[in-house]
Amino acid sequence: MADDDYILRVEDIHKTYGDSEVLKGVSFNVRKGDTIVFIGPSGTGKSTLLRCINQLTVPDKGRVYLHEEEVTNCGSRINHFRQKIGMVFQNFYLFDHLTAVKNVEIALLKVKGMSPEEAREKALFELRQVGMEEWADHYPAELSGGQAQRVSIARALAMEPDVILFDEPTSALDPELTREVLEVMKKLALEGMTMLVVTHEMGFARSVATEIIFMEGGKILEAGTPEDIIKNPGSERTKSFIGQFSGNLGD
């Protein structure tokens, strides 16, 4: 397959903190419209991998390419790539002093240079996409965790990225709020948004992932379709890990 068939290529990423080798040579490719779900035990480097992809963490070795342009070692062009590679974090990172709509508007004003009128129209549109338009003028303290996370997704969408990275977006939420965020993510996947998702939500992985990547010890142990990984894993380690979530495999 030609390289230009891939929207994102990740090659041989390594990262060490002190004496701890967190990533030990991770490589994979992503096509436009893919939903790649990363699973595996805590501490195995999944979140670090996402941070290396958009250069919030600089890898010690390896390269990342978006549309065949190198993201790693790109110097002053990093902000260009961060507009193209959105990120949704576990802890929302909304500005407490700004309303929901202002949280979405701010990058449109400061990074994209939109007029206030354009930015508000775009921000309200993206809030509508995640079911939060009626909460546009509320502050983060007035929102549930699920609502706050949906605002952070709207903020990422507003930049019209080519790829969105989701770093355990529901791990801080209770089950009911988790469901509302996953429904938004499923909608995005069905609409063709290219997404890389670190999660323990196996039902989500089974229903929308184009590929599931099982990581352990800083490496990819196994990768395949949901059918392969969840129903017919190739390794005993993957089978054991999936078995912990046997009650969490519904849609």
Side-chain angles (χ1 to χ4, degrees):
M1 178 171 290
D3 287 345
D4 59 9
D5 287 332
Y6 296 115
I7 188 172
L8 184 74
R9 292 194 295 119
V10 177
E11 294 184 349
D12 196 32
I13 296 295
H14 291 252
K15 185 64 186 178
T16 298
Y17 293 105
D19 295 329
S20 177
E21 194 177 3
V22 179
L23 294 171
K24 303 176 182 177
V26 176
S27 301
F28 61 93
N29 299 316
V30 183
R31 294 184 186 88
K32 181 176 175 59
D34 278 354
T35 297
I36 311 293
V37 175
F38 295 85
I39 63 171
S42 297
T44 200
K46 303 183 301 295
S47 294
T48 300
L49 175 62
L50 291 195
R51 294 176 66 88
C52 285
I53 289 171
N54 79 343
Q55 298 289 282
L56 287 174
T57 295
V58 178
D60 300 324
K61 179 185 174 185
R63 295 183 176 185
V64 177
Y65 296 90
L66 181 72
H67 297 301
E68 294 309 306
E69 291 187 278
E70 188 175 354
V71 180
T72 36
N73 308 307
C74 67
S76 61
R77 297 194 71 220
I78 188 57
N79 287 332
H80 162 77
F81 287 112
R82 286 190 181 143
Q83 290 183 53
K84 300 293 186 182
I85 305 175
M87 191 152 184
V88 175
F89 299 90
Q90 176 179 334
N91 294 318
F92 323 140
Y93 294 118
L94 298 178
F95 293 107
D96 291 337
H97 67 291
L98 297 179
T99 61
V101 71
K102 294 290 187 186
N103 264 282
V104 179
E105 283 178 11
I106 189 166
L108 297 174
L109 294 166
K110 294 184 177 297
V111 178
K112 291 221 163 187
M114 285 187 177
S115 70
E117 295 77 19
E118 288 176 314
R120 184 170 182 87
E121 182 179 353
K122 176 67 170 171
L124 288 172
F125 172 80
E126 298 300 352
L127 288 172
R128 192 177 312 128
Q129 296 301 101
V130 300
M132 286 298 294
E133 185 179 21
E134 66 186 86
W135 295 86
D137 295 319
H138 288 69
Y139 289 89
E142 300 173 300
L143 304 177
S144 70
Q147 290 171 328
Q149 191 60 290
R150 284 190 279 156
V151 172
S152 70
I153 294 172
R155 179 178 58 187
L157 289 171
M159 300 302 287
E160 298 183 347
D162 295 330
V163 182
I164 299 184
L165 315 178
F166 290 85
D167 186 11
E168 299 199 44
T170 62
S171 62
L173 305 177
D174 66 35
E176 185 174 345
L177 301 181
T178 290
R179 190 183 308 277
E180 68 184 50
V181 172
L182 292 178
E183 286 302 319
V184 169
M185 293 171 63
K186 285 180 183 179
K187 176 174 176 278
L188 293 177
L190 293 172
E191 291 172 351
M193 173 58 70
T194 308
M195 307 194 300
L196 276 58
V197 184
V198 171
T199 187
H200 292 298
E201 297 294 333
M202 293 298 165
F204 171 81
R206 186 175 70 83
S207 63
V208 302
T210 49
E211 182 177 30
I212 297 176
I213 294 177
F214 177 68
M215 289 182 63
E216 186 167 57
K219 294 181 177 180
I220 294 176
L221 192 64
E222 190 171 355
T225 65
E227 183 79 14
D228 293 334
I229 300 299
I230 293 177
K231 293 191 176 181
N232 191 31
S235 77
E236 283 301 315
R237 183 65 192 99
T238 308
K239 185 176 181 180
S240 171
F241 181 82
I242 295 291
Q244 301 174 56
F245 301 92
S246 58
N248 186 26
L249 290 172
D251 288 338

